[in-house]
């Protein structure tokens, strides 16, 4: 898997975003440690990943308020579009 951007937090290596915000780690996107926001990539096409993220919009809304939250989410979306 290629890396668009790497960030580290608490020893966690991420492909995009920041570990304590929106991030891509291994085979998923998630906000910080909040598993309810997690979307796994395995077995999903780009279209299915994006559809699941759209379905999660109400759940994700509280984590898209600040500039750093929006920025890391956008970084993750760009990574997903490029690598999934």
């Amino acid at each position: 898997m290629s890396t668009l951007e790497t960030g580290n937090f608490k020893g966690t290596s991420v492909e995009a975003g920041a570990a304590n915000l929106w991030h891509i780690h291994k085979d998923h996107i998630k906000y910080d440690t909040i598993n309810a926001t997690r979307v796994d990539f395995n077995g999903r096409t780009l279209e299915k990943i994006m559809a699941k993220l759209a379905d999660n919009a109400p759940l994700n809304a509280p984590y898209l308020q600040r500039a750093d939250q929006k920025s890391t989410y956008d970084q993750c979306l760009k990574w997903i579009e490029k690598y999934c």
Side-chain angles (χ1 to χ4, degrees):
M1 195 176 282
S2 298
T3 302
L4 179 64
E5 180 171 329
T6 301
N8 292 300
F9 183 77
K10 298 179 187 174
T12 301
S13 175
V14 299
E15 299 294 322
N20 62 326
L21 297 165
W22 285 103
H23 65 271
I24 305 243
H25 176 65
K26 296 183 181 177
D27 61 353
H28 67 271
I29 181 173
K30 160 172 97 166
Y31 184 80
D32 196 14
T33 59
I34 302 171
N35 282 324
T37 63
R38 181 181 174 127
V39 174
D40 291 312
F41 302 152
N42 289 342
R44 289 191 168 132
T45 63
L46 172 61
E47 292 76 21
K48 287 185 180 186
I49 293 167
M50 297 307 273
K52 181 64 176 167
L53 288 171
D55 288 346
N56 285 359
L59 174 69
N60 295 344
Y63 312 110
L64 290 166
Q65 301 300 309
R66 300 187 324 249
D68 59 347
Q69 293 170 323
K70 292 175 187 175
S71 173
T72 54
Y73 190 76
D74 288 343
Q75 290 170 18
C76 291
L77 291 180
K78 288 177 185 172
W79 189 94
I80 291 167
E81 288 172 352
K82 185 169 183 176
Y83 296 108
C84 291

